[in-house]
Coordinates of all heavy atoms in Angstrom, one line a residue:
A407 N 16.0 -39.4 -10.1 CA 15.8 -40.7 -9.6 C 16.5 -41.8 -10.5 O 16.8 -42.9 -10.0 CB 14.3 -41.0 -9.4
S408 N 16.6 -41.4 -11.8 CA 17.2 -42.4 -12.8 C 18.7 -42.2 -13.0 O 19.3 -42.9 -13.8 CB 16.4 -42.3 -14.1 OG 16.5 -41.0 -14.7
W409 N 19.2 -41.2 -12.4 CA 20.7 -41.0 -12.6 C 21.5 -41.9 -11.9 O 21.0 -42.6 -10.9 CB 21.0 -39.5 -12.2 CG 20.3 -38.4 -12.9 CD1 19.6 -38.5 -14.0 CD2 20.2 -37.0 -12.6 NE1 19.1 -37.4 -14.4 CE2 19.5 -36.4 -13.5 CE3 20.9 -36.3 -11.5 CZ2 19.3 -35.1 -13.5 CZ3 20.6 -34.9 -11.5 CH2 19.8 -34.3 -12.5
R410 N 22.8 -41.9 -12.2 CA 23.7 -42.7 -11.4 C 23.8 -42.3 -10.0 O 23.7 -41.0 -9.7 CB 25.1 -42.8 -12.1 CG 25.8 -41.5 -12.2 CD 27.1 -41.6 -13.1 NE 27.8 -40.4 -13.3 CZ 28.7 -39.9 -12.4 NH1 29.0 -40.5 -11.3 NH2 29.3 -38.7 -12.7
K411 N 24.1 -43.2 -9.1 CA 23.9 -42.9 -7.6 C 24.8 -41.8 -7.2 O 24.4 -41.2 -6.1 CB 24.1 -44.2 -6.9 CG 23.1 -45.3 -7.2 CD 21.7 -44.8 -7.0 CE 20.7 -46.0 -7.3 NZ 19.3 -45.6 -7.1
G412 N 25.9 -41.5 -7.7 CA 26.9 -40.6 -7.1 C 26.5 -39.1 -7.4 O 27.3 -38.2 -7.0
V413 N 25.5 -38.8 -8.2 CA 25.2 -37.5 -8.6 C 23.9 -37.0 -7.9 O 22.9 -37.7 -8.0 CB 25.0 -37.4 -10.1 CG1 24.7 -36.0 -10.6 CG2 26.3 -37.9 -10.8
K414 N 24.0 -35.8 -7.2 CA 22.9 -35.2 -6.7 C 22.2 -34.2 -7.6 O 22.8 -33.9 -8.7 CB 23.3 -34.4 -5.4 CG 23.8 -35.2 -4.2 CD 24.0 -34.1 -3.1 CE 24.3 -35.0 -1.8 NZ 24.5 -34.0 -0.7
V415 N 21.0 -33.7 -7.3 CA 20.4 -32.7 -8.1 C 20.2 -31.5 -7.1 O 19.8 -31.6 -6.0 CB 19.0 -33.1 -8.7 CG1 18.0 -33.5 -7.6 CG2 18.5 -32.1 -9.6
A416 N 20.5 -30.3 -7.7 CA 20.4 -29.1 -6.9 C 19.2 -28.3 -7.5 O 19.1 -28.1 -8.6 CB 21.6 -28.2 -6.9
V417 N 18.2 -27.9 -6.6 CA 17.0 -27.1 -7.0 C 17.2 -25.7 -6.3 O 17.3 -25.6 -5.1 CB 15.8 -27.9 -6.6 CG1 14.6 -27.0 -7.0 CG2 15.7 -29.2 -7.3
N418 N 16.9 -24.7 -7.1 CA 16.9 -23.4 -6.5 C 15.5 -23.0 -5.9 O 14.5 -23.3 -6.5 CB 17.2 -22.2 -7.6 CG 18.6 -22.4 -8.1 OD1 19.5 -21.8 -7.5 ND2 18.9 -23.0 -9.2
L419 N 15.5 -22.5 -4.7 CA 14.3 -22.1 -4.0 C 14.2 -20.6 -3.9 O 15.2 -19.9 -3.5 CB 14.3 -22.8 -2.6 CG 14.0 -24.2 -2.4 CD1 14.1 -24.6 -1.0 CD2 12.8 -24.7 -3.2
S420 N 13.1 -20.0 -4.3 CA 12.8 -18.6 -4.2 C 12.4 -18.3 -2.8 O 11.9 -19.0 -2.1 CB 11.7 -18.2 -5.1 OG 11.1 -17.0 -4.8
P421 N 12.9 -17.1 -2.3 CA 12.5 -16.6 -1.0 C 10.9 -16.6 -0.8 O 10.5 -16.8 0.3 CB 13.0 -15.2 -0.9 CG 14.2 -15.2 -1.9 CD 13.8 -16.1 -3.0
E422 N 10.2 -16.4 -1.9 CA 8.8 -16.4 -1.9 C 8.2 -17.8 -1.4 O 7.2 -17.9 -0.9 CB 8.2 -16.0 -3.2 CG 8.5 -14.6 -3.6 CD 8.0 -13.5 -2.6 OE1 6.9 -13.6 -2.1 OE2 8.8 -12.6 -2.3
Q423 N 9.0 -18.9 -1.8 CA 8.5 -20.2 -1.4 C 8.6 -20.5 0.1 O 8.0 -21.4 0.6 CB 9.2 -21.3 -2.2 CG 9.0 -21.2 -3.7 CD 9.8 -22.2 -4.5 OE1 10.9 -21.8 -5.0 NE2 9.4 -23.4 -4.6
F424 N 9.3 -19.7 0.8 CA 9.5 -19.8 2.3 C 8.4 -19.2 3.1 O 8.3 -19.4 4.3 CB 10.9 -19.3 2.7 CG 12.0 -20.2 2.4 CD1 12.6 -20.2 1.1 CD2 12.5 -21.2 3.3 CE1 13.6 -21.0 0.8 CE2 13.5 -21.9 3.0 CZ 14.2 -21.9 1.7
R425 N 7.6 -18.4 2.4 CA 6.6 -17.6 3.1 C 5.4 -18.4 3.6 O 4.8 -18.2 4.7 CB 6.0 -16.4 2.2 CG 7.1 -15.4 1.8 CD 6.5 -14.2 1.1 NE 7.4 -13.3 0.7 CZ 8.0 -12.3 1.4 NH1 7.6 -12.2 2.7 NH2 8.9 -11.5 0.9
G426 N 5.1 -19.5 2.9 CA 4.0 -20.3 3.4 C 4.5 -21.4 4.2 O 5.7 -21.8 4.3
P427 N 3.6 -22.1 5.0 CA 4.1 -23.2 5.9 C 4.1 -24.5 5.2 O 4.4 -25.5 5.9 CB 2.9 -23.1 7.0 CG 1.7 -22.7 6.2 CD 2.2 -21.7 5.1
A428 N 3.8 -24.6 3.9 CA 3.6 -25.9 3.3 C 4.8 -26.5 2.6 O 4.8 -27.6 2.1 CB 2.4 -25.9 2.4
L429 N 5.9 -25.8 2.6 CA 7.0 -26.2 1.8 C 7.6 -27.5 2.2 O 7.9 -28.4 1.4 CB 8.2 -25.2 1.9 CG 9.5 -25.5 1.1 CD1 9.1 -25.7 -0.3 CD2 10.5 -24.4 1.3
F430 N 7.7 -27.8 3.5 CA 8.2 -29.0 4.0 C 7.3 -30.2 3.6 O 7.8 -31.3 3.1 CB 8.4 -29.1 5.5 CG 9.1 -30.3 6.0 CD1 10.4 -30.6 5.8 CD2 8.4 -31.2 6.7 CE1 11.0 -31.7 6.3 CE2 8.9 -32.4 7.3 CZ 10.3 -32.6 7.0

Side-chain angles (χ1 to χ4, degrees):
S408 64
W409 298 348
R410 60 186 178 89
K411 299 301 181 183
V413 180
K414 290 185 174 185
V415 64
V417 176
N418 290 278
L419 290 181
S420 163
E422 298 300 316
Q423 292 175 265
F424 283 84
R425 294 189 185 276
L429 181 58
F430 185 70

